[in-house]
Amino acid sequence: MVRRAPQHRGLASQAPEILIALAAHTTRRIRVGSGAVLLNHYSPYKVAETFLQLEALAPGRIDLGLGRATAGPLADLALRRDRNASPVDDFDLQIQEVLAHLHRDFPAGHAFARLDATAGIPTRPEVWILGSSGSSARMAGQLGLGYAFAGFISPDGAAPALHGHDASLRPIPDRPAKHRAMLAVSAVVADTDTEAQRLNWSRRALLARMARTGTAPHVPTVDEAARELTQEEKDAPTVITDGRWPRQLAGSPATVRDQIEQMTKATGVEEVMVQDVIADPLARAHSRALLAQALGVGPDRMAAVS
């Protein structure tokens, strides 16, 4: 039997909901969830149904992260809810519809009030909004939801957005809210600063490819990245420089720990989500182990954020 290679070798999965179920089944304590379900691609009712089912499988351990972003022109078209109409930015309305399905909170007389995706499921997934702007942070606060900021997309906006989320928080009746905030960073850790910066070339080359073509079939190896990047791209800062945050952190365990501590102090967050884009799986595993050790995080908690 001939097996075809995966179409997207740079992705762990094209159906995160399936991996969430698997991760929940094989663990007992950690929270598992999405970061994020892109609502511009999906029906709010389908999202609510799916994550209520996951919540039923692992009560009290499911996080539903909601976001909006492009997956590239071709994938966006393939995933579009209505290909006969121009795309509409109705993210705020979609979030409210997801929440209404989760809590059966449609007004009397609304057609969807007769739908009940919650039947037999006493608990609810914890809902987060993921974004990279002040507007999404304020929206999360006004809806009483947790907020995760994508520092690897807009590092300069992290502190203002996260402080804005805190300032705009309001309680929602009958919906216990933890009002949590999280900073998401991209980080590569190696035994030395020089080696970590070299490993980080893969991410830089991946982003450059995506900027040129709108898609990238796999994460470039370090050798491929070395051939594709300019010296200026290779030498771009991977630590806070002159007060400016980098889009990607890279360094030794002590270097990256210091950078994350500076960022958490500036934003006031107590949780950090780590994204890593490292072509070599052994180097990726080593990076995560070094970071966990540097931050004093046990393997079970590190699995939840890596």
Side-chain angles (χ1 to χ4, degrees):
M1 176 179 178
V2 177
R3 302 189 66 178
R4 183 176 297 178
Q7 185 178 5
H8 297 283
R9 288 180 287 159
L11 300 177
S13 170
Q14 291 175 262
E17 301 92 332
I18 296 174
L19 289 191
I20 291 170
L22 179 61
H25 177 69
T26 55
T27 57
R28 295 183 178 181
R29 298 191 311 269
I30 65 171
R31 301 190 65 86
V32 293
S34 60
V37 173
L38 303 182
L39 281 180
N40 46 307
H41 294 152
Y42 299 104
S43 153
Y45 184 55
K46 179 59 178 176
V47 172
E49 280 188 316
T50 299
F51 278 81
L52 282 165
Q53 182 63 70
L54 291 169
E55 178 69 18
L57 294 173
R61 293 202 292 129
I62 300 299
D63 290 335
L64 167 55
L66 300 173
R68 57 179 167 185
T70 178
L74 189 60
D76 283 349
L77 177 62
L79 290 166
R80 187 179 298 172
R81 289 171 286 159
D82 183 355
R83 297 175 190 170
N84 296 318
S86 299
V88 175
D89 184 2
D90 55 353
F91 184 52
D92 55 340
L93 296 177
Q94 286 186 290
I95 290 175
Q96 292 179 54
E97 186 174 325
V98 170
L99 294 173
H101 284 301
L102 291 178
H103 298 281
R104 299 211 67 195
D105 197 24
F106 286 101
H110 194 289
F112 292 165
R114 292 176 291 171
L115 297 174
D116 183 11
T118 70
I121 305 173
T123 58
R124 301 290 176 266
E126 185 173 328
V127 181
W128 293 69
I129 293 179
L130 285 77
S132 58
S133 70
S135 60
S136 59
R138 290 189 297 272
M139 182 193 310
Q142 292 164 1
L143 293 173
L145 303 177
Y147 182 69
F149 185 87
F152 50 84
I153 293 178
S154 179
D156 291 337
L162 287 162
H163 289 306
H165 173 255
D166 184 64
S168 62
L169 279 173
R170 67 183 184 91
I172 305 297
D174 302 322
R175 294 186 197 173
K178 298 180 181 179
H179 297 159
R180 291 156 59 184
M182 181 187 297
L183 174 65
V185 300
S186 179
V188 174
V189 188
D191 295 310
T192 67
D193 288 342
T194 299
E195 176 62 12
Q197 290 162 1
R198 190 181 74 88
L199 291 174
N200 192 51
W201 293 350
S202 291
R203 187 182 193 278
R204 294 194 190 282
L206 177 68
L207 295 177
R209 286 181 178 184
M210 294 180 69
R212 291 194 304 269
T213 67
T215 186
H218 70 278
V219 177
T221 66
V222 173
D223 289 340
E224 290 173 333
R227 293 191 295 268
E228 296 175 18
L229 295 174
T230 66
Q231 194 59 48
E232 182 180 9
E233 290 172 323
K234 294 176 183 177
D235 295 339
T238 56
V239 295
I240 299 171
T241 304
D242 297 328
R244 297 291 301 273
W245 290 14
R247 293 183 67 183
Q248 300 123 9
L249 296 175
S252 68
T255 295
V256 175
R257 180 188 63 225
D258 174 70
Q259 298 300 298
I260 290 177
E261 288 176 347
Q262 290 186 56
M263 291 175 169
T264 56
K265 183 177 180 180
T267 56
V269 301
E270 296 182 352
E271 294 185 74
V272 175
M273 179 186 295
V274 177
Q275 175 210 65
D276 52 21
V277 181
I278 304 173
D280 182 349
L282 293 179
R284 184 165 63 247
H286 187 52
S287 173
R288 295 177 179 183
L290 290 175
L291 182 58
Q293 184 177 18
L295 296 177
V297 177
D300 57 341
R301 290 187 62 200
M302 192 64 189
V305 300
S306 54

